[in-house]
Each structure stands twice: as C-alpha cells, then as structure tokens.
Amino acid sequence: MLDGILMLLVLLNLFSLGSTRISASIRVVAYQGAAIGLVPLFLRGKIPGTMLLGIVFVTLLVKAVLLPGFLRYAQKRVNVRREEKTFVGVSTSILCGVAALGVAFFISSRLPLPFATASPFIVPVALSVSLTGSFIIISRAQALSQVIGYLILENGIYLFGIALFLEQPLLVELGMLLDVFVGVFVMGITIFHINREFEHTDTSRLSGLADWLPEERSLE
Amino acid sequence: MILLLFVIPFISGLLAFFLRNDLLRRRLLLSVACGHSAFSLYLCLFRGVDQQWLGFGMDALSRYFTAIFSLLFLCASFYAVIYLREEKSKPREESEEGLLFDNAPEAAFTGCLLIFLASMSLLALSRHFGLIWIAMETTTLVSAPLIYFHRHPRSLEATWKYLLICSVGIALALFGNLFLAVSASASGSGAELSLDRLLKAGVSLDPLWLKAGFIFILVGYGTKMGLAPMHTWLPDAHSEAPSVVSALLSGALLNCAFLAILRFYQLCLANGLGGFCRELFLIFGFLSMAVACLFIIGQSDYKRLLAYSSVEHMGILCFAVATGSAYGAMLHAANHSFVKGALFICAGNILAYFKSKKIADVRGMAHLLPWAGVLWFAGILAICGAPPFGTFLSEWIILKSAAASGNILLPAAYLFLLSVIFIAMTGIGMRMSFGVPGTTLAAQEYGGKKHFLPLLPALILLSISLLLGIYLPESLGRAVSEAAALLGGNI
C-alpha cells in the first residue's frame, strides 16, 4: 500500500510537469499533499494512535486544504489561467522528470540508509519529488507556478522527514510546516503586490535590476 | 535568563504593530536595541559561562556573534529613527525613474525590524538544528517586508528574488538537516538533531550522510550568506532596500547564516571530516572573492558596490576557515559587520542628498557634505583592509595562516584578489569623495545642520573598527579566541 502511494507520487510528478494550466497544477499539489499526509498510516511506526491521527490530520489540513485553497484564491485574484511561455517545452519537461527519477534512484543507491525502512523506495521518490519541484521553479515564468514548484520541493522534503523519522519529537516538524505555510503566504502577498504594480506576474519580465543594463552601456 | 534576548524583541515587535503613536514606537525600538546590546555585550565580554536550558543555550561562538549583530542593530536603529522621521516629512521620489511612491506603514517596518532581531537571537541561542533552521527561515520571512519598504517596482522585484531564492536555499538546508538525522541514527541513539548530544556522539555519526548533509547545508545556508554562485539575490536586495535594512542584512544576517554553517562544521570536526569541509570552504571562498572582484570593477551603482563587497568578505570568511585560521575569521566577521554597517549608513545619507545611486552622479562630497565625504572615504579604506583599521589586522592574520599552510598559491591568489578590489574600490571612493562637485541639486532643502546627526552611528561603528585595529581589549581577545577554539582553530 505504501508502495502504491509512492508510485502515485511519481505519477503526480510527471503530471505536474505536463500541465501548463495553473489550476491543474494546484490540484496536483493538493493530491500530492494528501498522498504524503496519508503516508504515516502505513509506516507501522511505534507511536500512539491519537498522535498518529493528529499528524495525519494536521498534514492533510495544511498541505491538502489550506495551502491549495490559498493558491486558488491567489490565482483568482491575479487572474492567470495558464503558463503562456515555459522556458522548456512540455514534452521535454516530462522527459526531464523521468531523468530526474533516474538520478534520484542513482543517488539513493549510492547513499545506503544505515537503518531499515518500511519501503526501499521512500528515499528515491522523495528526492525525485524535490528535483521535480526545483525543475518547475526554474522552468516556469509565472510567479504562481514558481510558488507551486516551491511547494512540491517542500513536499519531497516533508515526505523524506515524515517517512524516516516519524517517531521523533514533533515540535520541529510542526515548526517546519508552520514556516512553509507562512512562507507561501508571504510569497502570495508579494504576488498580489507584483500584480498590482506591474499588472502581470510574469517573472521573466521582472528584469529591472542588473549590473550592466543595455541602455546604460549606450549612455557611457 | 538568556532567553530574554529572544523574548523581549519578539514581544515588543508584535507590540509595535499595534502602537499608534510614532514617537512611542521609535522609543520602544531604541530602548529594546539598547537593552539587547548591553545584555549581549555583557554576556560576551564579562561572563564566559555556558548556559543551557532545553534546546537553548549559549557558548562562546553564539555569545560572540550575538554581541556583533546586537551592537550593529543598536547603531542601525538609531539611524532608523532619524530616517523614519525624515521619510515622514518629505515627498518621495524614486531615484532611478523619478516616479512617486509610498512607503510601507511605519508600524509594520518597526515591528519587522524587532522581530528580525528576535529571530537572529533565536538562531544564536538554538542548540538544535531544527530550531536553527526555523530561525533562519523566519529571518527571511520578516526581512522581506523590510526590503519592500519603499513601495516601488524595483524594490518589489528585489523582494521577490530574495524570497524565492532564499526559500529554495533554506529548503535545501532542510534536506541537509534530515541527512544529519540519518547520519545520527547510525550511532544508535535514534535520529537526533540536538547539537550537544551530536557533538558527544562525534565519531559514531555516519560520515557518508554527514558529508552529504554538509554539502546541502553549505549550499543552502550559503545562499543566505551570499556565497557565489548563489549570491544573485544579494546585490538586488541590498541596493533596493532602505539603507538601514541593507546595513542589517549585510552586517548581521550574513554573519548569522555563517554561524549556522559553522555549527554544522563543528559536528564535522568532531567526526573527523574537517579536511573535506575545508576543501569546500576553499572552493566557495575563492569563487565568492573572484566573482565579487569581477563585479566591483566597473560597478556603476554604489550600493551594489557595497553589496558585492559583502560577497567578497563572506568569501574571505570561508577562506579563513579553510586555511584553519578560525581566529582570523572571527575577528574579521566583527570588523566587516561594523565597517559595512557604517558604509551603508553613509550610503543612505549620500542617497538622501544626491538622490541617485549612480557613482557617476556623486562627485565632490568633501565640499558638499564634508562629514559624509570623509566618513565614506575612510569606510572604503577600512573595508579594503587599509592599515589602521581592524580589517587590516584580521586580513593580515588570515594571510599569515594561508602562508603557513604550505601552498604558496593560496596566499598569492588571496593577495591578488584583495589588491585588485582595493584599487577598484578606492578609485571609486576617491572620485566620489574628492572629485569636482557637479551640479548641486537639492543642496538647500537638505539643511546644513542636519548633516551630522544621521552620520553619528556610522562614525561610532567606524571608530569601533579603528579601535579594534589599534588595541584589542583583553576581555574581547579572550572572547574571540574562545569562539575560535570551538572551531578547532588557533591563531
């Protein structure tokens, strides 16, 4: 069952790379958050049932409900529907996603875990989710897509943490969840400001700051 | 007791959001800054006792870094109060394109400043890698609104880059922490992130995962520290933020990121991975110095110039650790903070007068603004490591240990980069301070008497650096060597 969830995560990765519609990407992030939130149920960890349910509940609430909800609100407010121009085409993106999966498996085969885990695929899948997130941040121009990429990156890290260290003190993990939540919130507010100031949220056109501007060169 | 360093700024920061009275809020900022720096200086200089409570505690390293950023914060908040008063009274115009713009509410600005101080204190106080990470992320989140104080497109762009790049960097550092937990569980004590217990576990940590963790931590927190090639947010944020904030980002925040990396380095030392870490420090250190050197030559914006100089000095710090001169690194961290703080405060004054960040527009400050002109040039000399200042002393110590390392290439390349930067920066400083004044724009509206007061914090910071170069008090010398001893260093 755990392997099933991990496989679902890999498929969602590829799906997120293949979609240029922002609303579809937000839905993918929500599903991904839900899948990761359910992971602790299948770990056969030695922690009390109420605490387990608590973790599952908080993770689902933040990663599958609150954050996607906020992103959807932001999308409506800045009114972007799709990624107009990606720096990398859709099919190339998916190929890169497959390559990232390969890289993740290679890295985790070189870094053997010093203890047994519930599934041998946790580390490679977590790494590939994070790599996919980083790739989306780099390859998309819309500010909202970059935030989505950041969330996917964080999802991968969270999966790594929760699947390997479920039995550890929770305070830190909750702090991390809170920080990600506030981080996305601050980014969202910044996007509102960008939208108001520039009347678009295309970050490839945010290029006012540079060391040598072309027009300066002609002045000198 | 030491937790007060975090709690008081945090609570008063929250309070500042709701205080309606400007005067009261500014007094709150100043009094918190005074109290904080008095307490942390006392801890650093006179009470070298390690304290511990839950996941919090202070050792020589954190006492030393807290004292640095706290002192800088005091001077910066003094300037901030003057600056906020000025900003309230005059219409605002964007320096590059002449657009009118608004400022963020002053309450939010002061509140964020105080919470920024609180989160840096939390970082210094934490003895747990998870807490360090949380504190680091918090510094990013509260400093973003500070950068976007002037509400115009350029600062917004800088804020977005800062937020995104640093968030990704810090996410990578989180991976580093998790790798550390994997490495710790090899020692049999379960996944542990507490610094003290990990230091005790020392050699029994799994070295492979620890190495992987260090790479992620160095890249992740290195983004925040401004190491090349992850420095790209830094010149934008430093040039577009109000000068007070630039001073704090450069003098305080970069050091805090360095502290977070050093914490991990301590573990690697305990595990016997010192050589591996020093190699990485050397690569990033040289790369940062070289990139900064390239961009300092021919720089056209004086705030960006200072920002690249920060990249250079972060490179020097890494280089110092790499050559085993932890003492030099500690001393240099303090010197860089004070001088860079002074320079950014000067830059704020220059910007207020000339209304331009272009180096070409600023000429003959010695005639127009005598105090700013002299302080600016002295600051430029100091940041380049000219003799009477403390930076000379620390850069000299680092050079000596590089020469002692046996590889002649290291000190040679270090000296070469430093001297190129020295020539480039003093040239620019000289033209700005002593050139023939061009057309004077707003000379009258900026009254003659007001010149000195906003420069006082810069003067104080520079004098501290000068003092450090001439005479190192015994208590301070002890604090520096105790901090360096934790990094396995000697002079």
Side-chain angles (χ1 to χ4, degrees), chain B residues 209-423:
Chain B
W209 282 87
L210 194 60
K211 272 186 192 174
F214 182 73
I215 294 174
F216 272 86
I217 289 281
L218 188 60
V219 171
Y221 289 148
T223 310
K224 202 73 197 284
M225 184 182 165
L227 295 179
M230 296 87 71
H231 69 285
T232 44
W233 62 273
L234 194 143
D236 294 345
H238 283 54
S239 65
E240 295 310 317
S243 299
V244 195
V245 178
S246 318
L248 283 175
L249 285 181
S250 184
L253 183 61
L254 303 189
N255 273 352
C256 284
F258 185 50
L259 175 63
I261 297 176
L262 288 181
R263 288 290 181 211
F264 210 93
Y265 176 59
Q266 266 185 292
L267 273 190
C268 294
L269 280 179
N271 192 249
L273 289 177
F276 168 78
C277 298
R278 280 194 288 273
E279 262 175 43
L280 283 176
F281 271 127
L282 191 66
I283 294 169
F284 280 106
F286 259 124
L287 204 58
S288 306
M289 282 194 267
V291 166
C293 182
L294 283 178
F295 282 89
I296 281 174
I297 303 171
Q299 184 54 251
S300 62
D301 176 323
Y302 55 86
K303 279 187 87 177
R304 291 182 85 89
L305 178 81
L306 296 182
Y308 278 112
S309 151
S310 292
V311 175
E312 176 217 346
H313 284 274
M314 290 304 118
I316 294 180
L317 291 184
C318 285
F319 179 76
V321 175
T323 52
S325 170
Y327 185 86
M330 291 300 107
L331 207 54
H332 195 68
N335 278 318
H336 166 251
S337 286
F338 297 147
V339 176
K340 194 50 72 60
L343 274 172
F344 269 117
I345 290 171
C346 274
N349 282 287
I350 299 170
L351 182 59
Y353 182 84
F354 285 93
K355 308 248 184 304
S356 166
K357 279 184 283 197
K358 292 229 166 56
I359 288 169
D361 291 345
V362 182
R363 284 281 177 275
M365 270 195 291
H367 303 278
L368 302 169
L369 295 167
W371 275 104
V374 170
L375 276 180
W376 175 259
F377 190 64
I380 292 273
L381 280 181
I383 205 73
C384 295
F389 292 98
T391 37
F392 171 73
L393 182 67
S394 45
E395 285 180 1
W396 177 254
I397 292 173
I398 295 166
L399 177 68
K400 239 173 51 179
S401 82
S405 71
N407 186 348
I408 192 67
L409 277 176
L410 292 184
Y414 169 73
L415 260 189
F416 172 73
L417 288 172
L418 281 192
S419 37
V420 171
I421 290 171
F422 181 89
I423 295 167

Side-chain angles (χ1 to χ4, degrees), chain B residues 31 92 113 127 131 139 168 171 174 196 202 260 358 365 395:
Chain B
S31 45
R92 289 166 285 269
L113 268 183
R127 311 277 301 163
L131 272 177
T139 58
V168 171
L174 182 53
D196 296 285
K358 292 229 166 56
M365 270 195 291
E395 285 180 1

Side-chain angles (χ1 to χ4, degrees), chain A:
Chain A
M1 190 60 200
L2 181 60
D3 286 344
I5 291 184
L6 294 177
M7 212 156 81
L8 182 70
L9 283 174
V10 171
L11 289 179
L12 284 173
N13 263 348
L14 297 180
F15 195 75
S16 69
L17 287 170
S19 72
T20 53
R21 267 178 39 242
I22 306 274
S23 58
S25 303
I26 294 173
R27 218 172 303 133
V28 171
V29 171
Y31 292 151
Q32 207 175 39
I36 290 171
L38 291 177
V39 163
L41 291 177
F42 304 101
L43 286 174
R44 298 186 294 272
K46 295 183 284 290
I47 63 167
T50 45
M51 211 156 103
L52 184 70
L53 287 181
I55 298 172
V56 172
F57 176 73
V58 172
T59 314
L60 284 180
L61 181 70
V62 173
K63 288 210 176 276
V65 181
L66 289 180
L67 286 177
F70 176 68
L71 283 180
R72 211 163 291 135
Y73 166 72
Q75 188 215 350
K76 288 222 179 73
R77 190 154 153 193
V78 301
N79 196 22
V80 281
R81 289 177 180 282
R82 60 188 308 124
E83 190 73 42
E84 296 293 342
K85 45 164 194 227
T86 49
F87 299 122
V88 184
V90 170
S91 46
T92 326
S93 294
I94 294 178
L95 275 180
C96 287
V98 175
L101 191 62
V103 169
F105 268 96
F106 175 72
I107 293 175
S108 54
S109 72
R110 296 295 301 275
L111 278 174
L113 278 174
F115 50 83
T117 52
S119 158
F121 300 121
I122 288 174
V123 178
V125 170
L127 285 178
S128 81
V129 172
S130 300
L131 282 174
T132 308
S134 322
F135 184 79
I136 288 179
I137 296 176
I138 300 167
S139 65
R140 304 283 164 97
Q142 279 292 339
L144 259 179
S145 304
Q146 293 177 338
V147 176
I148 290 170
Y150 173 68
L151 263 185
I152 295 178
L153 169 63
E154 281 286 350
N155 274 346
I157 299 172
Y158 192 79
L159 171 66
F160 190 96
I162 202 89
L164 296 187
F165 309 113
L166 186 63
E167 281 132 61
Q168 293 312 307
L170 288 167
L171 199 66
V172 175
E173 263 152 31
L174 288 182
M176 288 167 186
L177 261 186
L178 182 73
D179 261 358
V180 171
F181 182 68
V182 178
V184 170
F185 199 69
V186 172
M187 285 184 196
I189 292 170
T190 315
I191 290 180
F192 296 154
H193 281 293
I194 292 178
N195 189 46
R196 204 191 53 199
E197 194 81 53
F198 294 94
E199 290 170 355
H200 67 77
T201 55
D202 182 347
T203 54
S204 66
R205 280 153 67 195
L206 290 185
S207 52
L209 301 173
D211 282 288
W212 290 294
L213 293 172
E215 63 266 21
E216 269 183 17
R217 215 179 263 157
S218 60
L219 279 176
E220 278 166 10

Side-chain angles (χ1 to χ4, degrees), chain B residues 66-296:
Chain B
T66 312
I68 299 176
F69 71 69
S70 181
L71 202 59
L72 182 70
F73 189 86
L74 175 63
C75 292
S77 62
F78 184 71
Y79 177 65
V81 169
I82 299 167
Y83 173 79
L84 287 172
R85 218 167 41 203
E86 294 273 310
E87 285 285 313
K88 266 263 152 88
S89 59
K90 66 169 200 261
R92 289 166 285 269
E93 208 172 296
E94 214 258 298
S95 59
E96 301 287 323
E97 284 127 37
L99 302 167
L100 289 173
F101 65 93
D102 264 340
N103 282 340
E106 195 188 315
F109 186 75
T110 318
C112 283
L113 268 183
L114 283 167
I115 296 180
F116 184 52
L117 177 67
S119 56
M120 288 191 297
S121 309
L122 179 64
L123 195 144
L125 287 171
S126 316
R127 311 277 301 163
H128 186 287
F129 283 97
L131 272 177
I132 290 180
W133 183 84
I134 290 173
M136 197 57 130
E137 172 79 12
T138 316
T139 58
T140 315
L141 297 179
V142 292
S143 49
L146 292 178
I147 297 175
Y148 187 42
F149 177 61
H150 296 309
R151 298 260 156 114
H152 57 69
R154 298 169 59 84
S155 63
L156 188 56
E157 185 185 332
T159 309
W160 177 253
K161 285 182 183 167
Y162 174 66
L163 257 183
L164 198 74
I165 296 175
C166 286
S167 297
V168 171
I170 290 170
L172 292 182
L174 182 53
F175 248 132
N177 281 339
L178 291 173
F179 285 6
L180 172 65
V182 174
S183 155
S185 54
S187 68
S189 59
E192 183 65 63
L193 282 176
S194 147
L195 178 63
D196 296 285
R197 263 172 274 165
L198 282 171
L199 279 175
K200 249 178 235 140
V203 267
S204 57
L205 300 176
D206 184 69
L208 187 64
W209 282 87
L210 194 60
K211 272 186 192 174
F214 182 73
I215 294 174
F216 272 86
I217 289 281
L218 188 60
V219 171
Y221 289 148
T223 310
K224 202 73 197 284
M225 184 182 165
L227 295 179
M230 296 87 71
H231 69 285
T232 44
W233 62 273
L234 194 143
D236 294 345
H238 283 54
S239 65
E240 295 310 317
S243 299
V244 195
V245 178
S246 318
L248 283 175
L249 285 181
S250 184
L253 183 61
L254 303 189
N255 273 352
C256 284
F258 185 50
L259 175 63
I261 297 176
L262 288 181
R263 288 290 181 211
F264 210 93
Y265 176 59
Q266 266 185 292
L267 273 190
C268 294
L269 280 179
N271 192 249
L273 289 177
F276 168 78
C277 298
R278 280 194 288 273
E279 262 175 43
L280 283 176
F281 271 127
L282 191 66
I283 294 169
F284 280 106
F286 259 124
L287 204 58
S288 306
M289 282 194 267
V291 166
C293 182
L294 283 178
F295 282 89
I296 281 174

